[in-house]
Structures are given as structure tokens and as C-alpha cells.
Amino acid sequence: MLAILLAHAAAALVAPLWVRALGRNAFFLLAVVPLGGFAWVIANWSEPQRVRLTWAPSIALNIDLRFDTLAAVLCALVLGIGALVLIYCARYFEDDEPRLGVFAAELVAFAGAMFGLVTSDNMLLLYVFWEATTVLSFLLIGHNAEQAASRRAAIQALLVTGAGGLAMLTGIVVLGTVNGSYLLSDLLSGTNPSGTAVNVAVALILVGALTKSAVVPLHFWLPGAMAAPTPVSAYLHAAAMVKAGVYLIARLAPAFAQNPVWHPLVLTLGLASMLLAGLRSLQVVDLKLVLAFGTVSQLGFLIVLVGIGTPDAALAGVALVVAHALFKACLFLVVGIIDHGAGTRDLRRLSGLGRRAPVLCATAVLAALSMAGIPPLLGFVGKESALNAVLDADVLTAPVRGAVFTGVVLGSMLTVGYSIRFVWGAFADKDREPEPAAGATPVAHHPSEVPVAEDQPEAERRLRWHPPGALFLAAPVILAVASLAAGLAPSWLDARLRPYAETLAAVPFSHLALWHGFDAALASTLLIVAVGVVLWRLRGRFAESAHPRLGNADRAYDATLRAMDTLSLRMTGAVQRGSLPLSQAAILVTLIVLPTVLLALGTRTGVTLRLWDSPLQAAIGAIMAVSALAATVLRNRLASVLVVGVTGYGSGVIFALHGAPDLALTQFLVETLTLVIFVLVLRAFPATIEPSRTAAFKLRRAVLAVGTGTVVAVLAGFAVAARTAEPVWLRIPDAAYEFGGGKNAVNVLLVDLRAWDTLGEISVLVVAATGVASLVFRSRRFGSAPRATDSPDYDPELVSWLPAGRLVARAQRSMVLQITTRLVFPTIMVLSVYFFFSGHNAPGGGFAGGLTAGLALTLRYLAGGRYELGEALPVDAGHILGAGLTLAAGTAVSSLLLGAPPLSSAIIEVSLPVIGHVKVVTALLFDLGVYLIVVGLVLDVLRSLGARLDSELADADTPSANGGSAT
């Protein structure tokens, strides 16, 4: 199972390269991956398997995979139909299709994510794959991003299914906490938990499942998703993604079918979906929308069956899951061929295709017969078993059983009606279908269609038709034949599906069969077919109107978004008045009032304070206090920045006095770099602050400042006094050496014990750097910094201590600074490398080393201007940031491959000739990623706030000012 997941991940990575090299034929090569997985599933169908890989045991997030009958059913559909869809794509798309390589990668990745979802035993891992399918479906639906309809559909699907996923995550956490385990196998094998918390958790999980399977009232995203290319509709919205919700309900039914919230939600919404969407399928004129609403209807049917909770219903439900995937994927692929060959999906314009494309017509008829539940197709076998299962569902009261049976029969009548309408609309010789009323939803067509004017002669209005090739027809033909073969051999299918149904009860239950005799189910089928034919004959009575009789969920979605936007604007307007001082004041007042009130209501005793441990601390504190007060009265901006810097350096000295050299070193480096950045920014400001800005609200600000400082100090004192247990820091040094293989507890803590936190923090750094670059460069990054040779004033004959030193304006050039920089720069870089390598056992690390390298780059920039920055490091800062983040995140995989938990230290010890015994920890790679990110961030800041600003100031002043020193 793990090999199948990794194979899909690898195929997704190389897919763009293969498509670039082979064009659309690369889809044939990509289809081998899911096809190989399908072969493995068939070969191991009756052999339950488990895989457990430790990932993050402290939060119960491990890679726990489980392969059983239910997983095998879904895996076979996901991988088998996935392979056929990839083969279909090789003839659906053209070689010049935009972003075809990315599309191929996303489709293969989706297949892998679905495989992971249905084989996950850990509910948290299941949620990870669940959201992966949500994101990938968003990308696939929005493939034609230049079209507004595609963008809207993609965002709609993301918002709706993403919101349902968040609700499901809450339910998973509650259920896992109550149960004491996040494993589905533990949940299903133990005593079913109960209680209010469990009821709420089950309801939340059902919300996520029903949302994913497009159940009323959150069904509207699925018809909207028909803006996606047809292979996406056939795969995601017929065979794979929408089955995720059905799968989850089927998986949890053995444990929770008798939960008090289960049947009211599952049965009510399932039947409502079956009826309302079935009615909509008789109204729309786009063949894809006919199938889309039909899919919503049948998903409701499937959810009712797998949610009843009896073995008969479970067997019938899983059989219909297989049948639905086969016939609905087939019909979507047929529509794609029609759209590709005729240039339209409007059933009012299609006529005579049955004569022109007999093989395609026969394929569609077989699939439609299965969808309608006509013998001898698999759809009939499943529907007959479903009717009998509902009639025999003793877990339901008689009134509920009667209501469910009536709803299923009515929904099946609608299914027969729109099945006939689909075949007739696509292939029959006919005149024109009744026009929809004004204001109805327009039909989206394939891009190859040429609009036909109403006043053209009849000869010119004849439907174009380009016959499909054999490879184009292969996938739908195989699916249709599979529906027929499975219907003719129900006992073979019964033997493979039965083990899942037996998990609901050990009592004997019925089998799948093509003939159950003359019973109530058969009588109901005859009635269903007869009424379905009548509904088709009355299709004109169901024409879509501008004002739907049952409302419009899509409009309700739009209204909800507008209401949320309005509420957001009003809330923002109430708390954000456009004044930065006012916003800061509101935050600080809250910080003062809230903790003060809480401390007054529940004051703890035992708070003790020492003014200092040594007189040196008092002297440093006095200097910091004077500097802070000076910053409030100085009007010169540069002077204010410098005295604020004094407070930062004072903090570093106090850290050093308390035995924290790592903190002191980092504080000094950060403070120095911050001062430089402030100076770079202040060049664009007046030297002094205007008097009008210094006098406003002086007293109020002073009171606010004093109150904030006092509250923070008091809170710190109470926080220290509140400790009752042994401090954790006493154990950190030993833990750092035992688990991380290092003596510097601070560095090991950052790159090993709490590496997940550090990964999040450096990700924020990358986002911040990107935000700075976006604000300064407006549209895109400035690229790598310009080199001296890029300047029109560059003269290779001139000699300078720095390559770009001669390009600095003479009035701003400092020969002493340039010579000093040339001599000191290599030393600083060596010190940077030393800090990086020594950080695991001595003060330093990737962050300190990166800051030191950043200061070296800053020195080069100050001495030689913006062109010197390009000479020092001629690389795009974005590439450095990306490489650093990739390297840091990749450490998770490298640690895992070496047998250690992700983002932890795997220790490698080797003996080398001459060198001797060497011990290397994988955390060094993580630290290297941190180093690169810090360097990239500094380079981005220097380029955006320094070199870019230099260029603009030079253009605004004189052409001769080619350089620019921050000094």
C-alpha cells in the first residue's frame, strides 16, 4: 500500500516532464501507475493487510493503513477507473492544451490521495488525505482558469467541501479523545461509545461526509463543478471524490448506525437528495448537468442504503457503489466524446448521433440501462437488492421503513425518466427539445463549438460530427461491458462484497442475484419503469424556469456569501477606523484591563521579586530605561532608532550575564540587522519628525505606555510564581543530548525537540519576505540583484577594492569602508560558517550563522552599493528562500527513512581514515535550511528596501548617482 502511494507521488512529480517530452501520449505512461495498483488490489482482495509507520506518535498521527473488503472495493474503483480516465485523456486533450502537464500531475496525485483516504486506518491521516482531495479537486475543477465559470466553480467546491472538512475534523478529534484511539479498527472493534459528546462528534463527521458527497442542501457545488474538463467530471464526480462521503458513512455504520443522530440525518437528507436532484435532472438541457444532478440523486440513494445499518442494505449499497461508478463514469466519458465531436452538449441541438455513432450509442444505452435499473445490468441487481433490503430493515420502525421505501421508489422513477431523456436527447432523431424559460442557466459547451445563428439556412445548421477513434472509445466501452458482465455474474461479485456486509451482523442474509423471483421488489421495479417512461413523455412539463419551484441552492450560496461579506465589512468598520494609533491603543487597553480584572478577582500569593542579582544588572537596566525615555522625546528619526537599539543591546547583555549565550548572540545579531533595516527605510523619510506629530495626545500615550509596561511586568511575576511542578528546563539538557545528539540545548530544541514549531516559524519568514517583495516590487520580484557589469558606467579597466565600488557616487564613496569591507567580509563569512557548524554543541546554529552572513552582505552593500550586492551573491533571493524551506521540510522524510521520527535527529556515526570518528545528525540539514532562509530574507530586504530604493532615488535625482550607500 505504501508503495502504491509513493508511486503515485513520484508519477505526479514527473508528469509535467513526461507531458513536455511526449505530449498527450504521456497519459498512457501515467496510466501504468494506477493500473499496477489496480492489479495489486485484485491480487490481494481477500488478504487483509495493515501497514504502520511511526510519524508523530505524541499527537497520534502515524501512517496507519488498513486494507480490507470495503477498502478494496473503493481502491479498485479509484485505481481501475483512474487508469481508464488517464487513457481517455490521451485522446480528449490536444498537445497544445494549456497547463496539460500540471493537469496530469494533479490527476495522478488525486488518484494517490483517494487511495490513501480509503486505506487510512488513522482518522487523522484520513483527514489529511481528505483535505488533499479537496485541494486537488479545486485545482482540477479550475483547470480552465481563464474562464470565470471555472474559477467560480472551483472556489465554490473548495469553500463548501472545505467547510465540511473542518466540521469533520472537530468530530474526529472529539471522537478520538472520547474513544482513546484515533484508529478506525479500534473504534469498530470495541464497545460503541455513547454520550452527548459522541453524538455531537458523529453529527459533525456526518456533516463532512454529506458535504463531500454533495447531499442536499449542500449539493449545488457538484453541478457547478461541471465547468471542469469532462475527464475530471467522470473521475472525481462520478467514480472517486464524491464516493468519499459514502465510504466514510459505510465505514462507520457498523459502529454508529444506531446512534440517535445517525438515521435522522442520513435517511432524511439522502432521500431529499434523491428526489430533488432527480427532478432537476428532468429540467436541465446540458447533458453533463443531466448526469450531474443524476449523480446527486444517486449519491442520496447510496447514502440511504449504507446508512441503514443492516447487512442486506450494506451489501446492496456497496453493489450500487460499484454499479454507479461504472455506469456514471461511462456516461460522463460518452458526453465528453459527444462534446468533442459535435461541439455541443445541448440535447436540443443533438440529433441523429445514434445513426452516426452506433458503437458510442450502444455504449451509452448499456450504461443508461444500468443507471435505470434494467436487467441484466449490474444496476438492476443492486436496485433489486436495495428494495428488498429496505423492506426487510428491522432496525427501522414500520412508518420510517415505509417512508424510506416510498422515497426510494419515487427516486427510482425519476432515475428511469432522466435515463431515457439522456439517451433520447443525445442520440435520437428528433426535432427540438422544448426551450427553457427566459433566465434559465445557459449551457456550457466545449471550446471547439462554433455558435450557430438562428437565421442560418437549415443546411448550415446541420450538426457537425467528428467520429471518435478506437482509443477514445476504449474507456467508456470497457466500463459499459463491465456493468453488463457484473450484472450477469452477481454471485461472483457477491462473494467479494459479502465480507464487508458481515461486519454489521453475523446473522445470515440474502445474496446478490439477477433473479429473486416474483416479489414486492420486482413489482415495484415494473411500476418504477412504467412511471419513469411516463415522466419522460411528460418531460416538457418539467422545463426549467427562471424561478425554480423548489428554490435555487446556488442563489442561496451567493446570498450567504454576500451576507458574510456585509457582516465582515461592518465588523471591520466598527473596530478599524483607519487610524493605526487608535488600533494600537485598543489592543493595549485590552491588554491592560483584562488581565488586571482577572488578577483582581483571583489574586495568587507568593510573588517575590529581586531588583537585581548584581549591580551590573542595575546599571544596564538604568541605561535601557534612559534610552527608552530618550526615544520618546527625540525628534530626529535616526537618533530615536539608535537609542531604541541601545535597549536591544542591553537585553543581549542581560542574557549573557544570566548564562544564555545563544540568546545573547541572536539578540545582538538581530538588533544590528534591525538597525540597518531601519536606516535603509529612513532614507526615504525627512530627518526629523514634524512638530504637529509629536505633540498630539502625549499624556494619553504616556499613561498607556506606563500601564502596558506595568501590566507586563506584573504578569511576568505572577506567571513565574504560578509554577508548582518541576521546571521542564531541568530536563532539556539531558534530553537534547539523548534525543538530539547535541550539547547546545537551545539549538537542539529548535531543530529537533520542537522542530515542528521552527518549521512553522521559518515558513512565516518566507511569507514575510514574499510580502515585503510584493509590496515593494508591486507585481513580481526584482530578480537577482544587478551586477557591476549591468551598469552602463562600468569600466573593466578601473581597479577597485570592491568590484562595484567605482560605481558609487564620489560624494558617497568611502575608500576606508571599501578597503575594510574587502578585508573583513571573508572573515565574517568564515565566522558565519563556524556558527552554523558549531551550533549543535556550542553557541550558534543556522539562525545565528544566517544572520552573520546577512550582516556580511549588508556590509558589502553599504560599501559598494546595489551593484556590489549582486557581485556578492548573484542569486535570486526567492530561489534561496525556496531551497531553504524545501531542505528544512525535506528533513522530515530523510529522518523517517533513517528510522527516526520526522523532523528529529537521526544520528549517523562513521569512522573515516585520517579524520577519525565522525558523528553527523540529520538535524544539520534542517539547520542548513534555516541558514538559507535567513540569508534569503536578508537579501530580499536589502534588494527591496535597499537596492530597489537606490535605483528609484537615483532616477529621481541625477543619472550619476549609480551607487548608493545607506550611510
Side-chain angles (χ1 to χ4, degrees), residues 319 322 376-378 381-382 481-497 511-515:
V322 177
L377 280 301
L378 180 58
V381 174
V481 171
S483 293
L484 177 61
L488 293 174
S491 58
W492 178 87
L493 186 64
D494 179 87
R496 280 147 186 82
L497 302 184
H511 294 265
L512 296 176
L514 188 59
W515 175 252

Side-chain angles (χ1 to χ4, degrees), residues 533-589:
V533 173
V534 172
L535 291 174
W536 170 72
R537 297 289 297 178
L538 298 175
R539 60 191 179 279
R541 302 286 183 89
F542 296 98
E544 187 176 19
S545 64
H547 303 286
R549 302 178 184 88
L550 299 175
N552 189 308
D554 206 45
R555 295 176 187 174
Y557 164 82
D558 290 334
T560 301
L561 287 187
R562 287 195 299 270
M564 293 175 67
D565 286 341
T566 301
L567 178 62
S568 175
L569 289 173
R570 291 181 177 178
M571 290 181 63
T572 303
V575 298
Q576 298 289 339
R577 296 295 184 179
S579 170
L580 182 59
L582 184 62
S583 299
Q584 290 178 326
I587 296 172
L588 295 177
V589 167

